[in-house]
């Protein structure tokens, strides 16, 4: 079996961002239907992922105190409710919890439109990036993806490759670029279908990666919008927690 060195990801034999072949993008309606069909499996994977992370002591036994406030159904009213919570020019982390939906997408779009300095970090994209990168390794070694994801050293390597993907960019820009890159991959549908696996096995690693990157931004004056499920976002320590 291949063994990792003390640092770096060169031992994987992979580029940080694997080459991908352009294929026709799916229509938004198809993408939305796929998201809805996998929402239940994803939510269950999120819950199992938290249990795995707790068992491996990657997360505190209790999440930070504080619940999620329900947003108004109208996107403009929902955005106004969030903006009333923020102080202009200050760094803030806004967690918007719930499964993927058009309503949630509209609220996040409205917030990005109205906030001057803002980044959107989607947990779904981060989980998919881990899958996308480690899927290539599994294919090259003839291993099963589930077996690869069950190995802590492989998850650590996956997170390190996600960091390498940023390459001096903001996390928000990296997330947007990763979405575009993966959508053009011939393996995109397989990545989408495998997202619950990453949620189950990489929950603690991805949450800790996000926490680490947020800690670097306290003086940035940026509002970071976190898009994810409540099971994940409850571990992000912020007073600005909302659900759709």
């Amino acid at each position: 079996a291949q063994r990792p060195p003390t640092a770096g990801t060169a031992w994987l034999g992979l580029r940080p961002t694997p080459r991908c072949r352009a294929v026709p993008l799916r229509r938004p309606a198809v993408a939305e239907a796929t998201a809805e069909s996998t929402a239940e499996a994803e939510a269950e994977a999120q819950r199992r992922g938290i249990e795995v992370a707790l068992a491996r002591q990657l997360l505190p036994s209790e999440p930070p105190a504080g619940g999620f406030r329900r947003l108004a159904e109208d996107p403009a009213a929902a955005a106004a409710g969030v903006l009333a919570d923020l102080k202009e020019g200050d760094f803030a982390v806004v967690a918007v919890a719930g499964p993927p939906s058009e309503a949630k997408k509209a609220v996040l779009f409205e917030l990005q439109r109205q906030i001057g300095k803002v980044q959107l970090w989607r947990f779904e994209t981060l989980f998919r990036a881990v899958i996308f990168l480690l899927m290539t390794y599994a294919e090259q070694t003839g291993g099963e993806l589930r077996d690869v994801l069950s190995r802590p050293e492989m998850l650590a390597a996956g997170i390190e490759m996600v960091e390498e993907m940023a390459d001096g960019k903001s996390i928000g820009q990296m997330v947007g670029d990763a979405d575009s890159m993966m959508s053009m991959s011939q393996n995109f549908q397989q990545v989408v279908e495998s997202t619950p696996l990453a949620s189950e096995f990489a929950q603690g690693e991805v949450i800790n990666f996000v926490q680490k990157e947020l800690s670097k931004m306290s003086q940035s004056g940026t509002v970071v919008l976190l898009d994810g499920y409540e099971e994940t976002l409850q571990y992000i320590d912020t007073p600005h927690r909302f659900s759709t």
Side-chain angles (χ1 to χ4, degrees), residues 95-190:
V96 183
S101 68
E102 287 298 327
K104 187 181 185 184
K105 190 184 301 182
V107 172
L108 291 168
F109 175 82
E110 190 67 22
L111 286 170
Q112 291 177 89
R113 189 181 69 82
Q114 294 195 42
I115 299 173
K117 197 172 181 182
V118 63
Q119 293 184 29
L120 173 62
W121 299 9
R122 299 177 66 241
F123 271 86
E124 180 180 68
T125 301
L126 294 172
F127 286 126
R128 286 180 178 176
V130 172
I131 283 285
F132 182 69
L133 294 163
L134 293 184
M135 184 180 289
T136 304
Y137 174 78
E139 290 173 351
Q140 289 180 357
T141 60
E144 292 292 332
L145 184 59
R146 174 178 286 273
D147 294 337
V148 171
L149 289 169
S150 68
R151 294 164 55 188
E153 74 273 17
M154 294 304 305
L155 292 173
I159 292 296
E160 190 171 345
M161 285 191 286
V162 170
E163 291 174 337
E164 290 170 4
M165 286 173 68
D167 192 25
K169 307 172 186 175
S170 70
I171 300 301
Q173 184 180 350
M174 183 273 285
V175 166
D177 290 349
D179 265 331
S180 298
M181 177 184 70
M182 290 186 291
S183 71
M184 293 188 293
S185 167
Q186 59 185 334
N187 294 326
F188 181 63
Q189 189 57 42
Q190 187 179 357

Side-chain angles (χ1 to χ4, degrees), residues 28-86:
V30 176
E32 186 66 25
T34 301
E36 291 175 359
S37 67
T38 60
E40 186 175 340
E42 178 62 29
E44 179 57 31
Q46 294 278 338
R47 290 187 285 271
R48 289 197 304 269
I50 294 297
E51 293 173 0
V52 169
L54 289 172
R56 293 174 54 208
Q57 299 183 329
L58 294 173
L59 297 175
S61 56
E62 293 294 334
F68 289 78
R69 287 170 280 173
R70 186 79 177 178
L71 288 171
E73 292 186 9
D74 177 70
V82 174
L83 292 171
D85 227 32
L86 307 178

